[in-house]
Amino acid sequence: MEGKMALKQYVTDEKDYLVSLRRYFHAHPEVSLKEYNTCKKIEEELDKIGLLHKRVGETGVYAWIDGEKGEGKTIALRADMDALAMEDLKTEEYRSQNEGFCHACGHDGHTATLLTAAKILNAKKGEFAGHIRLFFQQAEEIGQGARQFVSAGLLEGVDRVFGTHVTSGLTTGKISLTKGPQNASCDYFKISVTGKGAHVSKPHLGIDAAYIASQIVVGLQSIVARNTDPLETVVVGVGVIKAGTQYNIVAEHAEIEGTTRSFGPEVRKFTNDRVIRIAKQTAMLYGAEAEVEFRDYAAPLVNDGRAVDEVRAVVEKILPEDDIISDYEKALGADDFADYLAVTKGMYAFVGTHNPAEPNTGVPHHHGLFDLDENGLLIACNVYVDYALWVLQEM
């Protein structure tokens, strides 16, 4: 159907189901690692579909579909489920009922989409051999969910892993299938500086942790400005500085919290090593001590080129070629889907959900007015189903 969207009827028939689920999840948001009611709702729906499931961690849900034609390939499909700690500013009937929490990134749509795809694929299990693994993943927003599925061994034997993310940056009907780096790594760091207290009138008797922390913050800027190849994309950001207890006391302790972002493992290691070196040597220069803690929140997300070609061949039967984006701009925001791609071939697609006739669907992610065009979720659902079937029937 050249120039027009050609969604499969087995997807469009489930639109009401998908939309109702999405709106339920949107009205009942829960933050990372506390998705207790969300996972119970997912389990209830899986029970209705007739799928076995089990918990991964406290709030993740793993389900599976075994093809009735015997053994074959294995594909994993992933959706994240956590919301954000922020107010929902919308007035729609499905706005958040949980004060202070909001699905402002689209994970409600992801969860509803994968549940709908699971329903369709389970009805088709007589058509394929092999296995489908369904990952309803917790804690993407803090990078603590995907690794629980990986450590549970659920990527072992998987031939392909696939996921989608809605984006207000693309209009409904468009999809990004882009090879190579798409999202940066995300590392959190905390620098703890220990100096020596004194009265501010006699600063020479103390070691000012606040001053030293300030020098460290300035020094960290040299990593990007003077130590990194200008052709590389790197961020070293400081978001929190805490020091001292009272205005007339030389601060004995200071803390700096921040993040580093990059797209390659070598650059990532160099950047993080440099943060540690600058912090410790600056503190030592002024007679203080600095301890540096790093937390690995997400690896760089790099789409496998072959998997992108496979998904594109599937999508070309659904969407016109002009609506398939192959050069989507890289983002310094991280996504822990990268942890799956670090061990298994696959890709992460970005699906447009901006309808110009609905202003809130064009609002940036992580904003209280964020909303999405649910027609975009139908496209994501169709790709989940048809790519899974392609892997199991054709690969």
Side-chain angles (χ1 to χ4, degrees):
M1 211 188 257
E2 187 175 350
K4 295 182 180 179
M5 192 182 303
L7 296 177
K8 303 294 176 61
Q9 186 172 346
Y10 47 72
V11 173
T12 57
D13 284 347
E14 298 296 341
K15 181 177 180 178
D16 289 346
Y17 177 74
L18 193 161
V19 170
S20 66
L21 281 176
R22 182 261 162 167
R23 295 186 179 188
Y24 172 85
F25 289 125
H26 195 87
H28 300 85
E30 296 175 299
V31 292
S32 303
L33 299 178
K34 296 182 179 179
E35 311 94 334
Y36 300 111
N37 291 321
T38 301
C39 67
K40 289 179 182 177
K41 176 65 173 177
I42 291 168
E43 290 167 334
E44 289 173 5
E45 293 302 320
L46 291 171
D47 288 339
K48 293 176 185 177
I49 294 169
L51 293 178
L52 297 175
H53 52 82
K54 66 179 182 180
R55 290 284 179 96
V56 177
E58 289 190 11
T59 53
V61 181
Y62 164 56
W64 56 96
I65 304 171
D66 296 325
E68 293 178 346
K69 289 190 173 182
E71 293 300 312
K73 300 292 184 179
T74 299
I75 183 171
L77 305 175
R78 176 268 209 169
D80 41 14
M81 66 169 80
D82 51 331
L84 293 157
M86 58 185 293
E87 290 294 336
D88 190 341
L89 302 179
K90 298 186 299 301
T91 58
E92 281 73 12
E93 291 182 0
Y94 52 83
R95 73 182 302 276
S96 174
Q97 296 178 18
N98 298 339
E99 187 175 351
F101 303 105
C102 178
H103 267 297
C105 201
H107 298 186
D108 52 333
H110 301 167
T111 302
T113 299
L114 187 55
L115 278 169
T116 305
K119 182 180 180 182
I120 296 168
L121 287 165
N122 190 53
K124 290 179 171 292
K125 62 185 176 183
E127 301 177 15
F128 59 82
H131 310 278
I132 300 171
R133 300 180 184 179
L134 305 166
F135 297 173
F136 296 92
Q137 182 211 301
Q138 70 277 53
E140 186 280 326
E141 292 290 354
I142 62 171
Q144 300 297 311
R147 61 190 57 186
Q148 295 190 51
F149 282 78
V150 174
S151 63
L154 296 176
L155 271 296
E156 295 175 9
V158 170
D159 297 285
R160 291 289 186 271
V161 60
F162 178 71
T164 67
H165 200 299
V166 299
T167 175
S168 61
L170 292 174
T171 55
T172 303
K174 295 186 180 294
I175 186 171
S176 164
L177 307 176
T178 301
K179 298 179 181 180
Q182 278 291 273
N183 292 79
S185 61
C186 177
D187 293 300
Y188 160 91
F189 65 80
K190 180 166 76 171
I191 301 169
S192 301
V193 179
T194 301
K196 181 181 178 182
H199 195 282
V200 292
S201 65
K202 295 185 177 182
H204 59 290
L205 298 180
I207 300 174
D208 192 345
Y211 176 77
I212 295 165
S214 300
Q215 295 301 310
I216 291 173
V217 171
V218 172
L220 293 179
Q221 307 314 304
S222 70
I223 298 174
V224 175
R226 288 294 177 265
N227 301 134
T228 302
D229 185 334
L231 297 179
E232 292 285 352
T233 304
V234 174
V235 167
V236 179
V238 171
V240 176
I241 304 175
K242 301 175 183 177
T245 58
Q246 191 167 305
Y247 79 99
N248 60 354
I249 301 174
V250 172
E252 186 169 352
H253 299 285
E255 286 187 352
I256 302 165
E257 294 180 73
T259 181
T260 63
R261 312 278 174 120
S262 62
F263 288 96
E266 292 181 0
V267 175
R268 183 187 189 189
K269 182 179 186 306
F270 170 83
T271 302
N272 293 350
D273 287 348
R274 195 72 177 170
V275 169
I276 295 170
R277 183 177 177 183
I278 288 172
K280 287 184 174 294
Q281 291 188 351
T282 302
M284 187 182 301
L285 177 66
Y286 293 102
E289 294 183 354
E291 296 297 325
V292 185
E293 172 193 356
F294 264 95
R295 298 178 192 170
D296 175 358
Y297 278 177
L301 192 156
V302 182
N303 283 335
D304 178 76
R306 182 175 175 182
V308 172
D309 287 337
E310 295 166 356
V311 176
R312 186 182 182 96
V314 169
V315 173
E316 285 175 346
K317 298 177 182 179
I318 304 169
L319 300 177
E321 186 174 350
D322 289 347
D323 288 335
I324 303 174
I325 312 300
S326 60
D327 57 352
Y328 199 52
E329 186 177 1
K330 295 186 295 185
L332 283 160
D335 193 299
D336 70 358
F337 188 85
D339 291 338
Y340 301 128
L341 292 178
V343 296
T344 303
K345 287 186 177 181
M347 75 150 299
Y348 202 44
F350 290 88
V351 179
T353 52
H354 173 204
N355 180 349
E358 300 175 12
N360 285 346
T361 67
V363 170
H365 295 239
H366 292 213
H367 188 285
L369 289 175
F370 175 86
D371 205 348
L372 52 84
D373 180 0
E374 290 152 340
N375 289 306
L377 302 180
L378 290 175
I379 296 172
C381 183
N382 207 147
V383 181
Y384 271 124
V385 172
D386 285 12
Y387 182 52
L389 293 175
W390 183 89
V391 170
L392 301 179
Q393 295 173 338
E394 306 291 339
M395 185 174 159

